[in-house]
Amino acid sequence: MDIALRELADSDLPIFWEQLTDPELQQMAAVTRKYHYDRGHFDQHWAKVRSDPSVILRTVLADGAVAGHAAVFGPRPEREVTYVIGPAHWGQGIATTALAELIKLEPTRPLYAEAAADNAGSLRVLEKCGFVVTGKSRCFARARGEEIDLVQLTLS
């Protein structure tokens, strides 16, 4: 499978909306925001993200199809990674390859990430890319309607 990152195109946004509103994806990610549920908030979020020159944002392609997105964001001493791969593309190594390519684009170290403690797939992706567990916390997970354990990871 050919996995690549490219600049985001307007035509990617409907696919991202479909992925972010998928109940299975929301349940696994656990920590969701207003833009996961409301198209107006989604459009505002993406307009803001796309206009921020400090954000590194890429569309993830798998054999030419949009599989998700990946980004680095935040102020330089606290840069964080995030990625979303649509459920149709889970379990194929796409997230690991995409994240490995993304972190090559950002020289700042350390980089940070968070994942639900029970999201074994995402934790494995982060660890394969060199992130190590550096902390734990709890937060309210809107998608699950309850407090959950979060794992913080760092790439030095």
Side-chain angles (χ1 to χ4, degrees):
M1 176 175 296
D2 181 41
I3 301 164
L5 300 181
R6 69 155 163 75
E7 295 286 335
L8 184 133
D10 290 342
S11 60
D12 299 335
L13 293 174
I15 298 166
F16 296 170
W17 171 248
E18 182 178 324
Q19 291 170 342
L20 289 173
T21 57
D22 181 275
E24 185 180 11
L25 185 143
Q26 291 175 350
Q27 182 69 20
M28 184 178 297
V31 179
T32 55
R33 308 282 188 248
K34 287 181 181 180
Y35 64 84
H36 289 89
Y37 305 95
D38 178 273
R39 185 60 195 245
H41 286 287
F42 173 88
D43 291 339
Q44 289 173 353
H45 168 77
W46 283 98
K48 179 180 174 185
V49 169
R50 292 176 80 185
S51 69
D52 185 340
S54 72
V55 174
I56 298 172
L57 175 62
R58 297 293 184 271
T59 296
V60 178
L61 301 175
D63 289 337
V66 175
H69 63 275
V72 180
F73 65 96
R76 290 289 174 213
E78 301 167 7
R79 302 282 279 166
E80 188 171 338
V81 300
T82 186
Y83 52 89
V84 172
I85 302 298
H89 302 279
W90 289 351
Q92 300 174 46
I94 296 167
T96 300
T97 300
L99 182 59
E101 291 303 310
L102 179 73
I103 61 180
K104 289 178 186 176
L105 301 175
E106 175 55 67
T108 300
R109 298 292 183 270
L111 288 175
Y112 300 98
E114 286 187 331
D118 61 358
N119 187 341
S122 192
L123 292 171
R124 185 70 187 125
V125 165
L126 290 159
E127 289 171 350
K128 282 181 175 181
C129 290
F131 285 79
V132 295
V133 174
T134 52
K136 296 182 179 185
S137 65
R138 290 191 56 80
C139 77
F140 182 76
R142 180 188 302 226
R144 299 182 187 176
E146 63 185 3
E147 291 275 322
I148 64 159
D149 292 322
L150 276 182
V151 176
Q152 284 94 36
L153 300 99
T154 303
L155 175 67
S156 297

